[in-house]
Amino acid sequence: MAMRRAKISVIGAGNIGGECARSIAMKELGDVVLVDIPNKDKPDLHMPRGKALDLACCGPVESFDARITGTFDYADIKDSDVVIVTAGVPRKPGQSRDDLVSINAGIVKNVAQNIKQHAPNAIVIVVSNPLDAMVYVMWKVTGFPAQRVIGQAGALDVARYKTFLAMELGCSVEDIQGLLLGGHGDDMVPLPRLTSVNGIPIQDLLPAEKIGACVDRAKAGGGEVVKLMGTSAWYAPSAGTIEMVEAIVRDKKRVIPCAAWCENEFGVKAANNGKGLFVGVPCVLGAGGVERVIGFNMTADEKKFMDESISHVKDLIGATVKMFPELA
Ligand code: APR
């Protein structure tokens, strides 16, 4: 078979979807298909086609070769290697991610049915919120192996954490290593123990309260942006998503925290009535999707935070299943 570029479909051509398409093209990770729905009030418009055309015309300036197309027709995602799902409503000021569940669960369910039908071999990266529950919906509806259904959360949360630490330290963001676990929300699990500046423990460089403040700001980082802009962030969420896409299409085996299916890992089954769950954990990402979840021993405090986070994700899935009993 002739070699071909990766095909990456982006469902939801809004703020995050558009920025994802742009980054994919700039990094030449593959060809992009932007999918959205018609505007009922303005039937003459074709937003995804317009956005694709605008993006395609960056090519000569930015020197990229990537075909970018926009469509209302899911048949066009056929043979996608990766599908990114950003369909759904974003947050408004005062809303939590969880407040979006009643609208977004229905949207993601519909998107999942279409992916199952038209791109049954794709690796799916879910970005729509509330993240951990939307990944569950995607997995349940597509019936794809859990390895091919991944949630973007940790890549973004860690990026925020590192950004705030770098601001505090006055050093380059590139030299900060860090990790967060747990759900994509205010109960994500901080891990200062595993945070360093090129291996130098963060505890040696900043007092505990400063580290704690960076953790807290990372937890609420999405909300801080919503409050300033009136809608949710899109540049950093896209950057996190594209880091994952690159790891997959270039088979890099990057270790990135993602929402992945866990059973015995991190005590998920024990904390969730013997059942598995999608939650944020460090994953090896490569051509197969989540090729491995990397476990490690947690301290008692970390375990307590993780159990709380798991319990929150469990409640969120419970609320989703209440609305859509067929997803149980
Ligand atoms: N199929 C395809 N696209 C859809 C569907 C659907 N069934 N329903 C809605 N969309 C589209 C909207 O038309 C819109 O263009 O999804 C797009 C979402 O874009 P924005 O409103 O700009 O939202 P964005 O900021 O990109 O966030 C999308 O990601 O991080 C999450 O919380 C965020 O849930 C939100 C999602």
Side-chain angles (χ1 to χ4, degrees), residues 11-12 14-16 36-37 47 74 86-90 100 104 107 110-111 127-129:
I11 318 298
N15 286 334
I16 300 180
D36 211 293
I37 50 172
M47 188 274 280
Y74 275 95
T86 75
V89 290
L100 307 175
N104 286 356
I107 291 176
N110 171 267
V111 171
V127 184
S128 311
N129 274 313

PDB file of all heavy atoms in Angstrom, residues 11-12 14-16 36-37 47 74 86-90 100 104 107 110-111 127-129, ligand 1:
ATOM      1  N   ILE A  11     -13.876  16.784  15.570  1.00  0.00           N
ATOM      2  CA  ILE A  11     -15.325  16.958  15.657  1.00  0.00           C
ATOM      3  C   ILE A  11     -15.605  18.138  16.579  1.00  0.00           C
ATOM      4  O   ILE A  11     -15.222  18.126  17.756  1.00  0.00           O
ATOM      5  CB  ILE A  11     -16.023  15.691  16.216  1.00  0.00           C
ATOM      6  CG1 ILE A  11     -15.434  14.408  15.613  1.00  0.00           C
ATOM      7  CG2 ILE A  11     -17.527  15.795  16.010  1.00  0.00           C
ATOM      8  CD1 ILE A  11     -15.576  14.253  14.139  1.00  0.00           C
ATOM      9  N   GLY A  12     -16.293  19.140  16.040  1.00  0.00           N
ATOM     10  CA  GLY A  12     -16.477  20.410  16.749  1.00  0.00           C
ATOM     11  C   GLY A  12     -15.411  21.361  16.224  1.00  0.00           C
ATOM     12  O   GLY A  12     -14.231  21.228  16.563  1.00  0.00           O
ATOM     13  N   GLY A  14     -15.103  24.559  16.666  1.00  0.00           N
ATOM     14  CA  GLY A  14     -15.174  25.819  17.417  1.00  0.00           C
ATOM     15  C   GLY A  14     -13.788  26.307  17.800  1.00  0.00           C
ATOM     16  O   GLY A  14     -12.827  26.148  17.039  1.00  0.00           O
ATOM     17  N   ASN A  15     -13.707  26.891  18.998  1.00  0.00           N
ATOM     18  CA  ASN A  15     -12.429  27.476  19.423  1.00  0.00           C
ATOM     19  C   ASN A  15     -11.324  26.444  19.564  1.00  0.00           C
ATOM     20  O   ASN A  15     -10.220  26.621  19.051  1.00  0.00           O
ATOM     21  CB  ASN A  15     -12.624  28.216  20.745  1.00  0.00           C
ATOM     22  CG  ASN A  15     -13.374  29.528  20.559  1.00  0.00           C
ATOM     23  OD1 ASN A  15     -13.328  30.123  19.482  1.00  0.00           O
ATOM     24  ND2 ASN A  15     -14.055  29.970  21.594  1.00  0.00           N
ATOM     25  N   ILE A  16     -11.605  25.367  20.284  1.00  0.00           N
ATOM     26  CA  ILE A  16     -10.557  24.349  20.474  1.00  0.00           C
ATOM     27  C   ILE A  16     -10.313  23.594  19.173  1.00  0.00           C
ATOM     28  O   ILE A  16      -9.165  23.365  18.772  1.00  0.00           O
ATOM     29  CB  ILE A  16     -10.925  23.364  21.611  1.00  0.00           C
ATOM     30  CG1 ILE A  16     -11.094  24.126  22.932  1.00  0.00           C
ATOM     31  CG2 ILE A  16      -9.863  22.281  21.748  1.00  0.00           C
ATOM     32  CD1 ILE A  16     -11.445  23.248  24.119  1.00  0.00           C
ATOM     33  N   ASP A  36     -18.551  19.879  11.865  1.00  0.00           N
ATOM     34  CA  ASP A  36     -19.431  20.596  12.792  1.00  0.00           C
ATOM     35  C   ASP A  36     -20.866  20.402  12.303  1.00  0.00           C
ATOM     36  O   ASP A  36     -21.115  19.627  11.373  1.00  0.00           O
ATOM     37  CB  ASP A  36     -19.043  22.084  12.892  1.00  0.00           C
ATOM     38  CG  ASP A  36     -19.347  22.676  14.273  1.00  0.00           C
ATOM     39  OD1 ASP A  36     -20.547  22.781  14.617  1.00  0.00           O
ATOM     40  OD2 ASP A  36     -18.408  23.041  15.003  1.00  0.00           O
ATOM     41  N   ILE A  37     -21.801  21.060  12.954  1.00  0.00           N
ATOM     42  CA  ILE A  37     -23.211  20.926  12.577  1.00  0.00           C
ATOM     43  C   ILE A  37     -23.703  22.230  11.944  1.00  0.00           C
ATOM     44  O   ILE A  37     -23.174  23.303  12.256  1.00  0.00           O
ATOM     45  CB  ILE A  37     -24.095  20.564  13.796  1.00  0.00           C
ATOM     46  CG1 ILE A  37     -23.799  21.516  14.976  1.00  0.00           C
ATOM     47  CG2 ILE A  37     -23.893  19.127  14.209  1.00  0.00           C
ATOM     48  CD1 ILE A  37     -24.746  21.352  16.146  1.00  0.00           C
ATOM     49  N   MET A  47     -19.839  26.955   8.427  1.00  0.00           N
ATOM     50  CA  MET A  47     -18.710  27.364   9.263  1.00  0.00           C
ATOM     51  C   MET A  47     -17.487  26.444   9.118  1.00  0.00           C
ATOM     52  O   MET A  47     -16.374  26.935   8.923  1.00  0.00           O
ATOM     53  CB  MET A  47     -19.174  27.482  10.718  1.00  0.00           C
ATOM     54  CG  MET A  47     -18.156  28.071  11.655  1.00  0.00           C
ATOM     55  SD  MET A  47     -17.021  26.835  12.291  1.00  0.00           S
ATOM     56  CE  MET A  47     -18.035  26.095  13.586  1.00  0.00           C
ATOM     57  N   TYR A  74     -20.466  13.207   8.366  1.00  0.00           N
ATOM     58  CA  TYR A  74     -19.570  12.278   9.058  1.00  0.00           C
ATOM     59  C   TYR A  74     -18.937  11.240   8.130  1.00  0.00           C
ATOM     60  O   TYR A  74     -17.914  10.642   8.482  1.00  0.00           O
ATOM     61  CB  TYR A  74     -20.307  11.585  10.208  1.00  0.00           C
ATOM     62  CG  TYR A  74     -20.305  12.391  11.477  1.00  0.00           C
ATOM     63  CD1 TYR A  74     -21.366  13.229  11.807  1.00  0.00           C
ATOM     64  CD2 TYR A  74     -19.228  12.327  12.354  1.00  0.00           C
ATOM     65  CE1 TYR A  74     -21.355  13.975  12.969  1.00  0.00           C
ATOM     66  CE2 TYR A  74     -19.210  13.067  13.528  1.00  0.00           C
ATOM     67  CZ  TYR A  74     -20.286  13.889  13.831  1.00  0.00           C
ATOM     68  OH  TYR A  74     -20.269  14.630  14.983  1.00  0.00           O
ATOM     69  N   THR A  86     -14.172  17.683  20.215  1.00  0.00           N
ATOM     70  CA  THR A  86     -14.320  18.939  20.966  1.00  0.00           C
ATOM     71  C   THR A  86     -15.753  19.453  20.870  1.00  0.00           C
ATOM     72  O   THR A  86     -16.013  20.605  21.191  1.00  0.00           O
ATOM     73  CB  THR A  86     -13.364  20.042  20.439  1.00  0.00           C
ATOM     74  OG1 THR A  86     -13.888  20.539  19.198  1.00  0.00           O
ATOM     75  CG2 THR A  86     -11.961  19.520  20.208  1.00  0.00           C
ATOM     76  N   ALA A  87     -16.672  18.625  20.389  1.00  0.00           N
ATOM     77  CA  ALA A  87     -18.066  19.048  20.248  1.00  0.00           C
ATOM     78  C   ALA A  87     -18.693  19.240  21.621  1.00  0.00           C
ATOM     79  O   ALA A  87     -18.457  18.457  22.536  1.00  0.00           O
ATOM     80  CB  ALA A  87     -18.846  18.005  19.449  1.00  0.00           C
ATOM     81  N   GLY A  88     -19.493  20.271  21.738  1.00  0.00           N
ATOM     82  CA  GLY A  88     -20.177  20.505  23.006  1.00  0.00           C
ATOM     83  C   GLY A  88     -20.110  21.962  23.395  1.00  0.00           C
ATOM     84  O   GLY A  88     -19.421  22.753  22.766  1.00  0.00           O
ATOM     85  N   VAL A  89     -20.852  22.309  24.433  1.00  0.00           N
ATOM     86  CA  VAL A  89     -20.837  23.700  24.886  1.00  0.00           C
ATOM     87  C   VAL A  89     -19.669  23.921  25.838  1.00  0.00           C
ATOM     88  O   VAL A  89     -19.329  23.043  26.622  1.00  0.00           O
ATOM     89  CB  VAL A  89     -22.158  24.106  25.582  1.00  0.00           C
ATOM     90  CG1 VAL A  89     -23.291  24.188  24.578  1.00  0.00           C
ATOM     91  CG2 VAL A  89     -22.517  23.147  26.718  1.00  0.00           C
ATOM     92  N   PRO A  90     -19.042  25.101  25.759  1.00  0.00           N
ATOM     93  CA  PRO A  90     -18.003  25.456  26.727  1.00  0.00           C
ATOM     94  C   PRO A  90     -18.626  26.076  27.967  1.00  0.00           C
ATOM     95  O   PRO A  90     -19.829  26.319  28.020  1.00  0.00           O
ATOM     96  CB  PRO A  90     -17.160  26.467  25.956  1.00  0.00           C
ATOM     97  CG  PRO A  90     -18.108  27.125  25.010  1.00  0.00           C
ATOM     98  CD  PRO A  90     -19.192  26.123  24.705  1.00  0.00           C
ATOM     99  N   LEU A 100     -21.968  21.138  32.639  1.00  0.00           N
ATOM    100  CA  LEU A 100     -22.165  20.958  31.196  1.00  0.00           C
ATOM    101  C   LEU A 100     -22.718  19.586  30.851  1.00  0.00           C
ATOM    102  O   LEU A 100     -23.077  19.318  29.711  1.00  0.00           O
ATOM    103  CB  LEU A 100     -20.828  21.149  30.460  1.00  0.00           C
ATOM    104  CG  LEU A 100     -20.061  22.451  30.733  1.00  0.00           C
ATOM    105  CD1 LEU A 100     -18.719  22.425  30.016  1.00  0.00           C
ATOM    106  CD2 LEU A 100     -20.870  23.662  30.287  1.00  0.00           C
ATOM    107  N   ASN A 104     -23.792  18.211  27.144  1.00  0.00           N
ATOM    108  CA  ASN A 104     -22.698  17.582  26.411  1.00  0.00           C
ATOM    109  C   ASN A 104     -22.790  16.062  26.340  1.00  0.00           C
ATOM    110  O   ASN A 104     -22.301  15.454  25.388  1.00  0.00           O
ATOM    111  CB  ASN A 104     -21.349  18.031  26.989  1.00  0.00           C
ATOM    112  CG  ASN A 104     -21.031  19.466  26.577  1.00  0.00           C
ATOM    113  OD1 ASN A 104     -21.776  20.067  25.814  1.00  0.00           O
ATOM    114  ND2 ASN A 104     -19.932  20.011  27.076  1.00  0.00           N
ATOM    115  N   ILE A 107     -24.638  15.303  23.222  1.00  0.00           N
ATOM    116  CA  ILE A 107     -23.832  15.623  22.033  1.00  0.00           C
ATOM    117  C   ILE A 107     -22.754  14.555  21.827  1.00  0.00           C
ATOM    118  O   ILE A 107     -22.591  14.014  20.723  1.00  0.00           O
ATOM    119  CB  ILE A 107     -23.190  17.033  22.175  1.00  0.00           C
ATOM    120  CG1 ILE A 107     -24.278  18.112  22.114  1.00  0.00           C
ATOM    121  CG2 ILE A 107     -22.140  17.265  21.091  1.00  0.00           C
ATOM    122  CD1 ILE A 107     -23.793  19.543  22.348  1.00  0.00           C
ATOM    123  N   ASN A 110     -24.070  11.282  20.511  1.00  0.00           N
ATOM    124  CA  ASN A 110     -24.329  11.367  19.075  1.00  0.00           C
ATOM    125  C   ASN A 110     -23.025  11.298  18.263  1.00  0.00           C
ATOM    126  O   ASN A 110     -22.928  10.579  17.267  1.00  0.00           O
ATOM    127  CB  ASN A 110     -25.083  12.676  18.794  1.00  0.00           C
ATOM    128  CG  ASN A 110     -25.206  12.967  17.321  1.00  0.00           C
ATOM    129  OD1 ASN A 110     -24.374  13.667  16.747  1.00  0.00           O
ATOM    130  ND2 ASN A 110     -26.217  12.397  16.690  1.00  0.00           N
ATOM    131  N   VAL A 111     -22.023  12.024  18.712  1.00  0.00           N
ATOM    132  CA  VAL A 111     -20.722  12.018  18.016  1.00  0.00           C
ATOM    133  C   VAL A 111     -20.137  10.604  18.046  1.00  0.00           C
ATOM    134  O   VAL A 111     -19.620  10.102  17.039  1.00  0.00           O
ATOM    135  CB  VAL A 111     -19.752  13.030  18.677  1.00  0.00           C
ATOM    136  CG1 VAL A 111     -18.342  12.884  18.135  1.00  0.00           C
ATOM    137  CG2 VAL A 111     -20.257  14.460  18.494  1.00  0.00           C
ATOM    138  N   VAL A 127     -12.110  15.702  24.322  1.00  0.00           N
ATOM    139  CA  VAL A 127     -11.746  16.967  24.973  1.00  0.00           C
ATOM    140  C   VAL A 127     -12.977  17.607  25.640  1.00  0.00           C
ATOM    141  O   VAL A 127     -12.860  18.394  26.570  1.00  0.00           O
ATOM    142  CB  VAL A 127     -11.125  17.951  23.942  1.00  0.00           C
ATOM    143  CG1 VAL A 127     -10.641  19.230  24.605  1.00  0.00           C
ATOM    144  CG2 VAL A 127      -9.977  17.294  23.185  1.00  0.00           C
ATOM    145  N   SER A 128     -14.168  17.248  25.164  1.00  0.00           N
ATOM    146  CA  SER A 128     -15.412  17.834  25.682  1.00  0.00           C
ATOM    147  C   SER A 128     -15.557  17.567  27.178  1.00  0.00           C
ATOM    148  O   SER A 128     -15.185  16.502  27.675  1.00  0.00           O
ATOM    149  CB  SER A 128     -16.619  17.229  24.944  1.00  0.00           C
ATOM    150  OG  SER A 128     -16.425  17.270  23.551  1.00  0.00           O
ATOM    151  N   ASN A 129     -16.139  18.522  27.863  1.00  0.00           N
ATOM    152  CA  ASN A 129     -16.317  18.422  29.315  1.00  0.00           C
ATOM    153  C   ASN A 129     -17.747  18.089  29.705  1.00  0.00           C
ATOM    154  O   ASN A 129     -18.657  18.357  28.926  1.00  0.00           O
ATOM    155  CB  ASN A 129     -15.911  19.759  29.952  1.00  0.00           C
ATOM    156  CG  ASN A 129     -14.428  19.812  30.224  1.00  0.00           C
ATOM    157  OD1 ASN A 129     -13.866  18.870  30.778  1.00  0.00           O
ATOM    158  ND2 ASN A 129     -13.794  20.901  29.822  1.00  0.00           N
TER     159      ASN A 129
HETATM  160  N1  APR B   1     -21.501  17.512  16.291  1.00  0.00           N
HETATM  161  C1  APR B   1     -20.459  18.274  15.890  1.00  0.00           C
HETATM  162  N2  APR B   1     -20.181  19.476  16.445  1.00  0.00           N
HETATM  163  C2  APR B   1     -21.001  19.941  17.386  1.00  0.00           C
HETATM  164  C3  APR B   1     -22.119  19.200  17.838  1.00  0.00           C
HETATM  165  C4  APR B   1     -22.359  17.934  17.239  1.00  0.00           C
HETATM  166  N3  APR B   1     -23.384  17.166  17.611  1.00  0.00           N
HETATM  167  N4  APR B   1     -22.734  19.930  18.799  1.00  0.00           N
HETATM  168  C5  APR B   1     -22.038  21.077  18.938  1.00  0.00           C
HETATM  169  N5  APR B   1     -20.990  21.091  18.085  1.00  0.00           N
HETATM  170  C6  APR B   1     -19.989  22.135  17.865  1.00  0.00           C
HETATM  171  C7  APR B   1     -20.550  23.555  17.990  1.00  0.00           C
HETATM  172  O1  APR B   1     -21.298  23.905  16.847  1.00  0.00           O
HETATM  173  C8  APR B   1     -19.279  24.372  18.161  1.00  0.00           C
HETATM  174  O2  APR B   1     -18.767  24.854  16.928  1.00  0.00           O
HETATM  175  O3  APR B   1     -18.955  22.098  18.830  1.00  0.00           O
HETATM  176  C9  APR B   1     -18.266  23.352  18.749  1.00  0.00           C
HETATM  177  C10 APR B   1     -17.751  23.738  20.131  1.00  0.00           C
HETATM  178  O4  APR B   1     -16.973  24.878  19.981  1.00  0.00           O
HETATM  179  P1  APR B   1     -16.987  26.087  21.038  1.00  0.00           P
HETATM  180  O5  APR B   1     -18.384  26.443  21.348  1.00  0.00           O
HETATM  181  O6  APR B   1     -16.064  27.130  20.519  1.00  0.00           O
HETATM  182  O7  APR B   1     -16.360  25.408  22.366  1.00  0.00           O
HETATM  183  P2  APR B   1     -14.818  25.123  22.721  1.00  0.00           P
HETATM  184  O8  APR B   1     -14.280  26.261  23.499  1.00  0.00           O
HETATM  185  O9  APR B   1     -14.096  24.693  21.505  1.00  0.00           O
HETATM  186  O10 APR B   1     -14.980  23.907  23.731  1.00  0.00           O
HETATM  187  C11 APR B   1     -15.517  22.666  23.313  1.00  0.00           C
HETATM  188  O11 APR B   1     -14.266  21.341  24.905  1.00  0.00           O
HETATM  189  O12 APR B   1     -12.899  21.837  26.729  1.00  0.00           O
HETATM  190  C12 APR B   1     -14.193  21.527  26.292  1.00  0.00           C
HETATM  191  O13 APR B   1     -15.512  22.590  27.993  1.00  0.00           O
HETATM  192  C13 APR B   1     -15.169  22.611  26.620  1.00  0.00           C
HETATM  193  O14 APR B   1     -17.044  21.161  26.322  1.00  0.00           O
HETATM  194  C14 APR B   1     -16.302  22.216  25.727  1.00  0.00           C
HETATM  195  C15 APR B   1     -15.585  21.696  24.471  1.00  0.00           C
END
